[in-house]
Amino acid sequence: MTITKLLVILSLPLVASCSRFDMQTSLTEVNAQAAIVATNKVEVVMSSAQQDEFNRRSAALLQKPIDQNAAVELMLSRSPAFQELLLRHWQQNASLAQDGRLTNPVFSFERLVSGSETEYGRLFRFGLMDILTLPTRRAAVNLALDRAKVRLAAEIFAAIQQAKLAWLAAVAAEAKLAIEEKAFIGTSADAELAKRLKQTGNFTTSDRVYRQLIHAEAAVALANARQARLATREQLIRVLGLEAEAAERLMLPHELPLLAEQPWSLAEIAPEIEQRFDVRMARLDYEASLKRLGIDKVSSYTDIEFGRRYDSIKDAGSSAHKKGYELDIKLPIFDWGDMQRDALQANLLAKQQAYRHSVLTAASQLRESYNLYRTAFDIAQHYQKEILPMREILLEEATYNYNGMIIGVFEALQVGRDLAMAQQSSIDAMHNLLSAEIAMDSVVMGRPISASTLSISTTSNSAGAGH
């Protein structure tokens, strides 16, 4: 048996078990993880029929106000940006799998004529080092593909969390707009009454201007609330990937979800550090580099190519044949590859330290995010159970006192405005809490996302009013 046949036979099992990336299998694994995709299905849109089915599903969701889960489902089925994310991962991971395959051999043919002599040369050549190192390269690529699958799951999870945050901001803006509209109506009546009292001589100019100033400020606040509502709604529309017709039918709840009775404990949410996305990716990245280190060190010295030659010579009706082998070896004469090996070693050690850093950072991020969540929960609970009830009691008392002619109409209206301001702050507090929950969930999974925190005013707006 010739050397060429032997190498071909030995390489057949390696070729048959070459590395590959299957997008559908990866998405099936993601869909099986409830912590990433609750009840929704992640799919790559490959045909117009599939997109039509998604559109029918989303049209049914748009028939009523969408909750957070419905918003996520709309994003998964309608968003072109999300589909682009999936396809980009498919393209990158397919290219990565290509590195775990043998390079195609090269066949050369030449024809040389000298007088009556014609020579035909045939050369079949392939990289000998490619075959010898294929098992190790394939193992390294498989580790890299495992890392790519984790990264795909992390990016899908992040996209879902961003959709939740966009929905949350839009619903909070709807709730705040409703309060501002009521406040504007109240200050409008207040300003009109002050104007009439001034005309009858029962109000000073400063008192009238003060009441009209409050109304003017309420008008500005209402305009800002309308703009905030439009901006957050349009942001949600972009995240969900809705066209103009679907965007017109988009309905949102006017209230945020209710406050939970008890906060989560740190023990309930604390994950196994090694299962976080970032820690798993750092570990697999290090292991893949470690697996490739030996191959890369050898290639820094030399490279070997093997060729099988078969030539035919025809001259005046006679023919002769020549056959043999070629071996091309890169000689390390001018460059011994020491700098390449130093770079490889430094890169490996850097990835080892990156893995250690990801483990240390995970615990710190969890403590920080949990503290933010607990602070937001305590503030939201404080508004729900103490501040708002007390403001409502003050409004009831002001109503009784007004009916008893103990206080004037302006004092009663001021108490109502204070309650409206407290309701606004309560919405902000609840928004902060729900955003902190999403951010904490992202930290738990190892794909932190930024969630903005709204500042909450703690000063009372009560002021003395004229009679």
Side-chain angles (χ1 to χ4, degrees):
M1 182 180 293
T2 64
I3 296 178
T4 304
K5 291 181 179 179
L6 178 62
L7 291 174
V8 170
I9 292 174
L10 291 175
S11 65
L12 286 177
L14 300 177
V15 175
S17 59
C18 56
S19 299
R20 60 180 291 105
F21 173 78
D22 187 276
M23 186 65 175
Q24 189 55 52
T25 300
S26 298
L27 292 182
T28 300
E29 293 174 0
V30 171
N31 287 321
Q33 302 180 57
I36 301 176
V37 188
T39 57
N40 306 300
K41 191 176 182 182
V42 180
E43 294 182 38
V44 178
V45 178
M46 299 295 293
S47 65
S48 57
Q50 191 178 11
Q51 184 61 67
D52 290 341
E53 175 59 29
F54 280 162
N55 291 342
R56 284 191 293 271
R57 190 189 309 169
S58 61
L61 293 172
L62 290 170
Q63 295 298 318
K64 57 184 179 180
I66 63 169
D67 58 15
Q68 194 173 77
N69 289 334
V72 171
E73 188 169 351
L74 281 171
M75 186 274 294
L76 295 179
S77 60
R78 295 292 291 264
S79 172
F82 181 71
Q83 288 297 316
E84 180 189 5
L85 181 149
L86 297 181
L87 292 169
R88 290 294 182 192
H89 274 277
W90 192 351
Q91 175 258 320
Q92 293 167 5
N93 297 342
S95 299
L96 178 60
Q98 184 66 37
D99 293 338
R101 299 190 169 190
L102 278 174
T103 304
N104 287 327
V106 177
F107 175 74
S108 300
F109 176 81
E110 59 182 15
R111 179 178 181 272
L112 302 175
V113 178
S114 177
S116 60
E117 181 181 271
T118 303
E119 181 178 350
Y120 298 91
R122 307 170 190 85
L123 177 64
F124 181 79
R125 184 175 58 190
F126 53 85
L128 186 59
M129 291 296 294
D130 278 352
I131 295 178
L132 296 176
T133 62
L134 181 61
T136 305
R137 285 193 295 112
R138 189 181 63 221
V141 167
N142 288 339
L143 286 171
L145 286 173
D146 288 341
R147 181 188 184 278
K149 292 177 183 178
V150 175
R151 181 169 175 265
L152 172 62
E155 292 304 314
I156 291 173
F157 174 78
I160 290 174
Q161 298 299 88
Q162 291 293 350
K164 291 179 179 179
L165 285 175
W167 176 87
L168 181 61
V171 174
E174 292 276 356
K176 293 178 73 173
L177 175 60
I179 293 175
E180 290 292 358
E181 288 174 339
K182 292 180 181 178
F184 178 78
I185 293 173
T187 58
S188 177
D190 191 7
E192 180 62 26
L193 179 60
K195 178 181 177 181
R196 293 183 181 183
L197 288 175
K198 176 64 173 66
Q199 291 173 347
T200 59
N202 294 321
F203 228 43
T204 64
T205 300
S206 60
D207 288 336
R208 177 187 64 81
V209 171
Y210 174 72
R211 296 299 169 183
Q212 289 180 335
L213 178 61
I214 293 176
H215 178 55
E217 291 173 345
V220 173
L222 178 60
N224 287 332
R226 286 173 175 168
Q227 174 58 34
R229 186 252 187 189
L230 175 65
T232 54
R233 181 183 176 87
E234 291 298 331
Q235 173 63 20
L236 177 62
I237 288 171
R238 291 193 293 272
V239 170
L240 301 185
L242 300 181
E243 298 84 358
E245 186 272 334
E248 286 292 329
R249 293 188 286 118
L250 177 66
M251 294 181 289
L252 294 171
H254 295 289
E255 294 182 354
L256 292 171
L258 298 176
L259 178 70
E261 288 296 324
Q262 296 294 331
W264 295 333
S265 67
L266 186 58
E268 289 176 322
I269 65 169
E272 293 184 14
I273 297 297
E274 289 293 330
Q275 297 304 313
R276 283 175 47 126
F277 290 135
D278 51 358
V279 175
R280 289 162 62 193
M281 286 191 290
R283 185 185 69 249
L284 290 168
D285 197 20
Y286 168 66
E287 290 177 354
S289 297
L290 183 62
K291 183 70 70 173
R292 287 194 58 94
L293 183 62
I295 302 171
D296 293 336
K297 280 188 174 181
V298 172
S299 64
S300 70
Y301 284 103
T302 186
D303 191 16
I304 304 173
E305 287 192 350
F306 175 82
R308 178 72 168 87
R309 176 172 289 280
Y310 183 83
D311 297 339
S312 299
I313 302 173
K314 294 184 179 181
D315 185 11
S318 64
S319 62
H321 300 283
K322 296 188 299 182
K323 58 183 179 179
Y325 306 95
E326 286 188 5
L327 201 62
D328 297 336
I329 302 176
K330 183 177 69 175
L331 299 176
I333 297 177
F334 302 110
D335 180 9
W336 283 85
D338 53 325
M339 292 295 97
Q340 295 181 47
R341 291 187 292 278
D342 285 350
L344 291 169
Q345 187 67 28
N347 180 59
L348 179 66
L349 293 175
K351 290 183 177 179
Q352 183 186 49
Q353 295 300 326
Y355 168 60
R356 293 180 59 196
H357 176 70
S358 66
V359 173
L360 295 175
T361 302
S364 175
Q365 287 178 338
L366 183 60
R367 291 192 298 270
E368 181 183 4
S369 65
Y370 181 75
N371 185 71
L372 176 63
Y373 159 74
R374 276 308 310 266
T375 301
F377 184 92
D378 291 342
I379 293 174
Q381 187 180 59
H382 194 64
Y383 268 95
Q384 293 282 334
K385 295 188 175 182
E386 295 189 42
I387 295 180
L388 285 181
M390 287 190 290
R391 286 293 183 187
E392 289 169 355
I393 291 173
L394 288 176
L395 180 61
E396 291 178 2
E397 290 297 315
T399 303
Y400 294 148
N401 291 334
Y402 171 71
N403 292 334
M405 302 182 67
I406 299 174
I407 63 172
V409 63
F410 298 111
E411 289 88 343
L413 289 172
Q414 181 62 51
V415 175
R417 285 194 296 272
D418 289 343
L419 173 60
M421 292 297 297
Q423 290 171 336
Q424 292 272 21
S425 296
S426 178
I427 292 174
D428 288 338
M430 195 63 196
H431 183 200
N432 287 347
L433 170 60
L434 297 173
S435 297
E437 285 184 3
I438 294 173
M440 182 175 62
D441 189 30
S442 301
V443 170
V444 168
M445 295 296 292
R447 180 56 173 82
I449 60 174
S450 59
S452 59
T453 301
L454 302 175
S455 60
I456 300 175
S457 175
T458 58
T459 56
S460 173
N461 291 281
S462 298
H467 296 276

